Amino acid sequence: MRIVLMGPPGAGKGTQAKRLVERFGMAHLSSGDIFRAEKASGSDLGQKLAEYMSAGQLVPDDTVVEVMARAITQSDAQAGLLLDGFPRTVPQAEALDEQLDQAEKPLDGVVVIVADDEAIVERITGRRSCPSCGRIYHTKFLPPRRDAFCDDCEGDVELTQRTDDTEQVVRERLAAYYQQTEPVIAYYRRQGQVKVVEVDGNGMPDEVAAATAQAIEALA
Ligand code: AMP
């Protein structure tokens, strides 16, 4: 199955994507994770990406499309695909359609996780993750068992906060979402070739996970 997971930053896409991959077994491609790995590598591309990411702005389409097209080609096509954070603009969605159409592997559905802005700001500013295994926590809603250390990793692996998870940057990222990414949902609806389903992301992670899994099963 090939699915695009959409929703504002902090709606829980990353948390839900991990659960969906465990349940349905498709390859998970998160543009944000791919860009952060590129940034951590210290490459020229990574430095260019970092300029946009630290300001909460979208990376230009041509760069995003090039990096993501390569990642999709290299992913395990048999396993299916869960795209998370991509596409985020209409030109990105058009480029993705073209690539998938050429491969004769069109999308099966678009799942949009929706959440309120204030809930998002509270979630994002409290979000922490393990630099070793990537597990995501929240200081209030999903705290680790031991103060600031990952539950799953051996030794004391201290959780970190993304540099773009501050309130000011979150508000920039929300503005970018409403201006540039919401139109992608309308694009898929207009295009009419793919089912678009909305899931309420305001609940606790388990509730959202159940609703998301149900939405994906309904697409199959
Ligand atoms: P995320 O982890 O999905 O919130 O992405 C973190 C940051 O990476 C975003 O705020 C953007 O700066 C950049 N980014 C990730 N995916 C995209 C995309 N599809 N288009 C443009 N910028 C992106």
Side-chain angles (χ1 to χ4, degrees), residues 11-37:
K13 293 190 299 294
T15 303
Q16 297 306 328
K18 286 203 170 61
R19 294 179 185 219
L20 291 172
V21 166
E22 277 165 22
R23 181 163 176 162
F24 296 100
M26 64 275 254
H28 174 208
L29 291 184
S30 152
S31 51
D33 285 352
I34 291 170
F35 294 172
R36 278 183 287 280

PDB file of all heavy atoms in Angstrom, residues 11-37:
ATOM      1  N   ALA A  11       1.074  17.222  14.728  1.00  0.00           N
ATOM      2  CA  ALA A  11      -0.213  16.506  14.775  1.00  0.00           C
ATOM      3  C   ALA A  11       0.004  15.054  15.183  1.00  0.00           C
ATOM      4  O   ALA A  11      -0.962  14.341  15.453  1.00  0.00           O
ATOM      5  CB  ALA A  11      -0.908  16.575  13.417  1.00  0.00           C
ATOM      6  N   GLY A  12       1.272  14.636  15.212  1.00  0.00           N
ATOM      7  CA  GLY A  12       1.565  13.258  15.633  1.00  0.00           C
ATOM      8  C   GLY A  12       1.939  12.352  14.478  1.00  0.00           C
ATOM      9  O   GLY A  12       1.912  11.128  14.612  1.00  0.00           O
ATOM     10  N   LYS A  13       2.336  12.944  13.339  1.00  0.00           N
ATOM     11  CA  LYS A  13       2.656  12.128  12.163  1.00  0.00           C
ATOM     12  C   LYS A  13       3.799  11.154  12.438  1.00  0.00           C
ATOM     13  O   LYS A  13       3.721   9.988  12.095  1.00  0.00           O
ATOM     14  CB  LYS A  13       3.047  13.013  10.967  1.00  0.00           C
ATOM     15  CG  LYS A  13       1.925  13.860  10.428  1.00  0.00           C
ATOM     16  CD  LYS A  13       2.321  14.522   9.112  1.00  0.00           C
ATOM     17  CE  LYS A  13       3.512  15.449   9.229  1.00  0.00           C
ATOM     18  NZ  LYS A  13       3.285  16.638  10.045  1.00  0.00           N
ATOM     19  N   GLY A  14       4.861  11.651  13.071  1.00  0.00           N
ATOM     20  CA  GLY A  14       6.039  10.806  13.324  1.00  0.00           C
ATOM     21  C   GLY A  14       5.700   9.641  14.237  1.00  0.00           C
ATOM     22  O   GLY A  14       6.052   8.486  13.954  1.00  0.00           O
ATOM     23  N   THR A  15       4.988   9.937  15.325  1.00  0.00           N
ATOM     24  CA  THR A  15       4.590   8.896  16.285  1.00  0.00           C
ATOM     25  C   THR A  15       3.696   7.867  15.602  1.00  0.00           C
ATOM     26  O   THR A  15       3.898   6.663  15.722  1.00  0.00           O
ATOM     27  CB  THR A  15       3.808   9.543  17.456  1.00  0.00           C
ATOM     28  OG1 THR A  15       4.644  10.536  18.039  1.00  0.00           O
ATOM     29  CG2 THR A  15       3.407   8.537  18.502  1.00  0.00           C
ATOM     30  N   GLN A  16       2.725   8.355  14.854  1.00  0.00           N
ATOM     31  CA  GLN A  16       1.776   7.450  14.198  1.00  0.00           C
ATOM     32  C   GLN A  16       2.453   6.665  13.084  1.00  0.00           C
ATOM     33  O   GLN A  16       2.156   5.481  12.885  1.00  0.00           O
ATOM     34  CB  GLN A  16       0.573   8.227  13.647  1.00  0.00           C
ATOM     35  CG  GLN A  16      -0.255   8.914  14.720  1.00  0.00           C
ATOM     36  CD  GLN A  16      -0.714   7.951  15.813  1.00  0.00           C
ATOM     37  OE1 GLN A  16      -0.946   6.775  15.569  1.00  0.00           O
ATOM     38  NE2 GLN A  16      -0.833   8.444  17.036  1.00  0.00           N
ATOM     39  N   ALA A  17       3.362   7.310  12.364  1.00  0.00           N
ATOM     40  CA  ALA A  17       4.034   6.619  11.256  1.00  0.00           C
ATOM     41  C   ALA A  17       4.787   5.393  11.781  1.00  0.00           C
ATOM     42  O   ALA A  17       4.718   4.318  11.187  1.00  0.00           O
ATOM     43  CB  ALA A  17       4.999   7.573  10.555  1.00  0.00           C
ATOM     44  N   LYS A  18       5.470   5.542  12.909  1.00  0.00           N
ATOM     45  CA  LYS A  18       6.225   4.407  13.466  1.00  0.00           C
ATOM     46  C   LYS A  18       5.283   3.253  13.776  1.00  0.00           C
ATOM     47  O   LYS A  18       5.590   2.091  13.520  1.00  0.00           O
ATOM     48  CB  LYS A  18       6.975   4.841  14.730  1.00  0.00           C
ATOM     49  CG  LYS A  18       8.175   5.708  14.405  1.00  0.00           C
ATOM     50  CD  LYS A  18       9.214   5.678  15.509  1.00  0.00           C
ATOM     51  CE  LYS A  18      10.510   6.356  15.040  1.00  0.00           C
ATOM     52  NZ  LYS A  18      10.347   7.761  14.678  1.00  0.00           N
ATOM     53  N   ARG A  19       4.133   3.556  14.350  1.00  0.00           N
ATOM     54  CA  ARG A  19       3.178   2.496  14.688  1.00  0.00           C
ATOM     55  C   ARG A  19       2.608   1.841  13.435  1.00  0.00           C
ATOM     56  O   ARG A  19       2.408   0.634  13.385  1.00  0.00           O
ATOM     57  CB  ARG A  19       2.021   3.073  15.512  1.00  0.00           C
ATOM     58  CG  ARG A  19       2.499   3.566  16.872  1.00  0.00           C
ATOM     59  CD  ARG A  19       1.332   4.134  17.625  1.00  0.00           C
ATOM     60  NE  ARG A  19       1.778   4.712  18.874  1.00  0.00           N
ATOM     61  CZ  ARG A  19       1.113   4.617  20.009  1.00  0.00           C
ATOM     62  NH1 ARG A  19      -0.024   3.972  20.056  1.00  0.00           N
ATOM     63  NH2 ARG A  19       1.570   5.179  21.099  1.00  0.00           N
ATOM     64  N   LEU A  20       2.321   2.677  12.420  1.00  0.00           N
ATOM     65  CA  LEU A  20       1.736   2.131  11.188  1.00  0.00           C
ATOM     66  C   LEU A  20       2.703   1.197  10.474  1.00  0.00           C
ATOM     67  O   LEU A  20       2.314   0.164   9.940  1.00  0.00           O
ATOM     68  CB  LEU A  20       1.350   3.276  10.244  1.00  0.00           C
ATOM     69  CG  LEU A  20       0.181   4.131  10.727  1.00  0.00           C
ATOM     70  CD1 LEU A  20       0.001   5.345   9.838  1.00  0.00           C
ATOM     71  CD2 LEU A  20      -1.101   3.299  10.757  1.00  0.00           C
ATOM     72  N   VAL A  21       3.985   1.579  10.509  1.00  0.00           N
ATOM     73  CA  VAL A  21       4.998   0.755   9.855  1.00  0.00           C
ATOM     74  C   VAL A  21       5.102  -0.595  10.568  1.00  0.00           C
ATOM     75  O   VAL A  21       5.218  -1.643   9.932  1.00  0.00           O
ATOM     76  CB  VAL A  21       6.332   1.529   9.857  1.00  0.00           C
ATOM     77  CG1 VAL A  21       7.491   0.623   9.518  1.00  0.00           C
ATOM     78  CG2 VAL A  21       6.246   2.684   8.872  1.00  0.00           C
ATOM     79  N   GLU A  22       5.016  -0.571  11.900  1.00  0.00           N
ATOM     80  CA  GLU A  22       5.053  -1.839  12.656  1.00  0.00           C
ATOM     81  C   GLU A  22       3.847  -2.704  12.289  1.00  0.00           C
ATOM     82  O   GLU A  22       3.946  -3.904  12.141  1.00  0.00           O
ATOM     83  CB  GLU A  22       5.016  -1.570  14.166  1.00  0.00           C
ATOM     84  CG  GLU A  22       6.399  -1.242  14.732  1.00  0.00           C
ATOM     85  CD  GLU A  22       6.317  -0.632  16.120  1.00  0.00           C
ATOM     86  OE1 GLU A  22       5.304  -0.829  16.816  1.00  0.00           O
ATOM     87  OE2 GLU A  22       7.286   0.078  16.497  1.00  0.00           O
ATOM     88  N   ARG A  23       2.696  -2.062  12.124  1.00  0.00           N
ATOM     89  CA  ARG A  23       1.485  -2.821  11.874  1.00  0.00           C
ATOM     90  C   ARG A  23       1.331  -3.277  10.428  1.00  0.00           C
ATOM     91  O   ARG A  23       0.948  -4.409  10.154  1.00  0.00           O
ATOM     92  CB  ARG A  23       0.293  -1.944  12.271  1.00  0.00           C
ATOM     93  CG  ARG A  23      -1.019  -2.621  12.073  1.00  0.00           C
ATOM     94  CD  ARG A  23      -2.101  -1.916  12.834  1.00  0.00           C
ATOM     95  NE  ARG A  23      -3.370  -2.520  12.551  1.00  0.00           N
ATOM     96  CZ  ARG A  23      -4.439  -2.380  13.278  1.00  0.00           C
ATOM     97  NH1 ARG A  23      -4.367  -1.658  14.373  1.00  0.00           N
ATOM     98  NH2 ARG A  23      -5.562  -2.947  12.956  1.00  0.00           N
ATOM     99  N   PHE A  24       1.650  -2.370   9.473  1.00  0.00           N
ATOM    100  CA  PHE A  24       1.387  -2.695   8.063  1.00  0.00           C
ATOM    101  C   PHE A  24       2.650  -3.058   7.274  1.00  0.00           C
ATOM    102  O   PHE A  24       2.563  -3.513   6.142  1.00  0.00           O
ATOM    103  CB  PHE A  24       0.678  -1.525   7.366  1.00  0.00           C
ATOM    104  CG  PHE A  24      -0.690  -1.238   7.929  1.00  0.00           C
ATOM    105  CD1 PHE A  24      -0.907  -0.196   8.827  1.00  0.00           C
ATOM    106  CD2 PHE A  24      -1.779  -2.019   7.564  1.00  0.00           C
ATOM    107  CE1 PHE A  24      -2.164   0.071   9.352  1.00  0.00           C
ATOM    108  CE2 PHE A  24      -3.045  -1.758   8.068  1.00  0.00           C
ATOM    109  CZ  PHE A  24      -3.242  -0.714   8.971  1.00  0.00           C
ATOM    110  N   GLY A  25       3.827  -2.773   7.859  1.00  0.00           N
ATOM    111  CA  GLY A  25       5.083  -3.245   7.255  1.00  0.00           C
ATOM    112  C   GLY A  25       5.589  -2.482   6.042  1.00  0.00           C
ATOM    113  O   GLY A  25       6.495  -2.941   5.359  1.00  0.00           O
ATOM    114  N   MET A  26       5.026  -1.298   5.754  1.00  0.00           N
ATOM    115  CA  MET A  26       5.545  -0.578   4.587  1.00  0.00           C
ATOM    116  C   MET A  26       6.816   0.211   4.955  1.00  0.00           C
ATOM    117  O   MET A  26       7.118   0.399   6.123  1.00  0.00           O
ATOM    118  CB  MET A  26       4.483   0.345   3.965  1.00  0.00           C
ATOM    119  CG  MET A  26       4.012   1.469   4.826  1.00  0.00           C
ATOM    120  SD  MET A  26       2.688   1.000   5.951  1.00  0.00           S
ATOM    121  CE  MET A  26       1.269   1.762   5.215  1.00  0.00           C
ATOM    122  N   ALA A  27       7.545   0.636   3.900  1.00  0.00           N
ATOM    123  CA  ALA A  27       8.746   1.448   4.133  1.00  0.00           C
ATOM    124  C   ALA A  27       8.308   2.859   4.547  1.00  0.00           C
ATOM    125  O   ALA A  27       7.373   3.409   3.966  1.00  0.00           O
ATOM    126  CB  ALA A  27       9.571   1.509   2.859  1.00  0.00           C
ATOM    127  N   HIS A  28       8.975   3.416   5.543  1.00  0.00           N
ATOM    128  CA  HIS A  28       8.619   4.742   6.054  1.00  0.00           C
ATOM    129  C   HIS A  28       9.636   5.767   5.561  1.00  0.00           C
ATOM    130  O   HIS A  28      10.823   5.649   5.866  1.00  0.00           O
ATOM    131  CB  HIS A  28       8.621   4.678   7.596  1.00  0.00           C
ATOM    132  CG  HIS A  28       8.409   6.007   8.251  1.00  0.00           C
ATOM    133  ND1 HIS A  28       8.905   6.318   9.498  1.00  0.00           N
ATOM    134  CD2 HIS A  28       7.746   7.118   7.853  1.00  0.00           C
ATOM    135  CE1 HIS A  28       8.554   7.539   9.825  1.00  0.00           C
ATOM    136  NE2 HIS A  28       7.855   8.051   8.845  1.00  0.00           N
ATOM    137  N   LEU A  29       9.177   6.742   4.801  1.00  0.00           N
ATOM    138  CA  LEU A  29      10.084   7.799   4.351  1.00  0.00           C
ATOM    139  C   LEU A  29       9.602   9.131   4.917  1.00  0.00           C
ATOM    140  O   LEU A  29       8.570   9.662   4.495  1.00  0.00           O
ATOM    141  CB  LEU A  29      10.116   7.889   2.827  1.00  0.00           C
ATOM    142  CG  LEU A  29      10.761   6.730   2.081  1.00  0.00           C
ATOM    143  CD1 LEU A  29      10.803   7.038   0.592  1.00  0.00           C
ATOM    144  CD2 LEU A  29      12.173   6.468   2.582  1.00  0.00           C
ATOM    145  N   SER A  30      10.351   9.643   5.892  1.00  0.00           N
ATOM    146  CA  SER A  30      10.027  10.942   6.485  1.00  0.00           C
ATOM    147  C   SER A  30      10.999  11.967   5.926  1.00  0.00           C
ATOM    148  O   SER A  30      12.215  11.845   6.117  1.00  0.00           O
ATOM    149  CB  SER A  30      10.167  10.853   8.012  1.00  0.00           C
ATOM    150  OG  SER A  30      10.491  12.118   8.554  1.00  0.00           O
ATOM    151  N   SER A  31      10.470  12.966   5.204  1.00  0.00           N
ATOM    152  CA  SER A  31      11.374  13.965   4.612  1.00  0.00           C
ATOM    153  C   SER A  31      12.147  14.688   5.705  1.00  0.00           C
ATOM    154  O   SER A  31      13.353  14.931   5.567  1.00  0.00           O
ATOM    155  CB  SER A  31      10.595  14.954   3.743  1.00  0.00           C
ATOM    156  OG  SER A  31       9.493  15.480   4.444  1.00  0.00           O
ATOM    157  N   GLY A  32      11.490  14.991   6.832  1.00  0.00           N
ATOM    158  CA  GLY A  32      12.185  15.686   7.926  1.00  0.00           C
ATOM    159  C   GLY A  32      13.351  14.847   8.460  1.00  0.00           C
ATOM    160  O   GLY A  32      14.453  15.360   8.670  1.00  0.00           O
ATOM    161  N   ASP A  33      13.128  13.533   8.649  1.00  0.00           N
ATOM    162  CA  ASP A  33      14.198  12.654   9.147  1.00  0.00           C
ATOM    163  C   ASP A  33      15.339  12.567   8.133  1.00  0.00           C
ATOM    164  O   ASP A  33      16.517  12.592   8.497  1.00  0.00           O
ATOM    165  CB  ASP A  33      13.672  11.228   9.410  1.00  0.00           C
ATOM    166  CG  ASP A  33      12.826  11.141  10.678  1.00  0.00           C
ATOM    167  OD1 ASP A  33      12.769  12.135  11.436  1.00  0.00           O
ATOM    168  OD2 ASP A  33      12.208  10.074  10.903  1.00  0.00           O
ATOM    169  N   ILE A  34      14.965  12.466   6.864  1.00  0.00           N
ATOM    170  CA  ILE A  34      15.997  12.366   5.819  1.00  0.00           C
ATOM    171  C   ILE A  34      16.828  13.657   5.789  1.00  0.00           C
ATOM    172  O   ILE A  34      18.054  13.627   5.718  1.00  0.00           O
ATOM    173  CB  ILE A  34      15.335  12.087   4.442  1.00  0.00           C
ATOM    174  CG1 ILE A  34      14.746  10.670   4.458  1.00  0.00           C
ATOM    175  CG2 ILE A  34      16.314  12.268   3.290  1.00  0.00           C
ATOM    176  CD1 ILE A  34      13.852  10.336   3.267  1.00  0.00           C
ATOM    177  N   PHE A  35      16.161  14.802   5.930  1.00  0.00           N
ATOM    178  CA  PHE A  35      16.878  16.084   5.902  1.00  0.00           C
ATOM    179  C   PHE A  35      17.751  16.254   7.153  1.00  0.00           C
ATOM    180  O   PHE A  35      18.856  16.767   7.079  1.00  0.00           O
ATOM    181  CB  PHE A  35      15.894  17.264   5.805  1.00  0.00           C
ATOM    182  CG  PHE A  35      15.120  17.326   4.513  1.00  0.00           C
ATOM    183  CD1 PHE A  35      14.082  18.236   4.360  1.00  0.00           C
ATOM    184  CD2 PHE A  35      15.431  16.487   3.452  1.00  0.00           C
ATOM    185  CE1 PHE A  35      13.362  18.295   3.166  1.00  0.00           C
ATOM    186  CE2 PHE A  35      14.714  16.528   2.263  1.00  0.00           C
ATOM    187  CZ  PHE A  35      13.676  17.434   2.122  1.00  0.00           C
ATOM    188  N   ARG A  36      17.223  15.805   8.305  1.00  0.00           N
ATOM    189  CA  ARG A  36      18.049  15.928   9.535  1.00  0.00           C
ATOM    190  C   ARG A  36      19.291  15.040   9.449  1.00  0.00           C
ATOM    191  O   ARG A  36      20.368  15.426   9.905  1.00  0.00           O
ATOM    192  CB  ARG A  36      17.218  15.576  10.785  1.00  0.00           C
ATOM    193  CG  ARG A  36      16.362  16.754  11.273  1.00  0.00           C
ATOM    194  CD  ARG A  36      15.602  16.438  12.541  1.00  0.00           C
ATOM    195  NE  ARG A  36      14.497  15.538  12.308  1.00  0.00           N
ATOM    196  CZ  ARG A  36      13.301  15.897  11.826  1.00  0.00           C
ATOM    197  NH1 ARG A  36      13.054  17.159  11.557  1.00  0.00           N
ATOM    198  NH2 ARG A  36      12.354  15.003  11.628  1.00  0.00           N
ATOM    199  N   ALA A  37      19.149  13.863   8.832  1.00  0.00           N
ATOM    200  CA  ALA A  37      20.315  12.977   8.675  1.00  0.00           C
ATOM    201  C   ALA A  37      21.334  13.630   7.737  1.00  0.00           C
ATOM    202  O   ALA A  37      22.547  13.578   7.972  1.00  0.00           O
ATOM    203  CB  ALA A  37      19.871  11.623   8.131  1.00  0.00           C
TER     204      ALA A  37
END
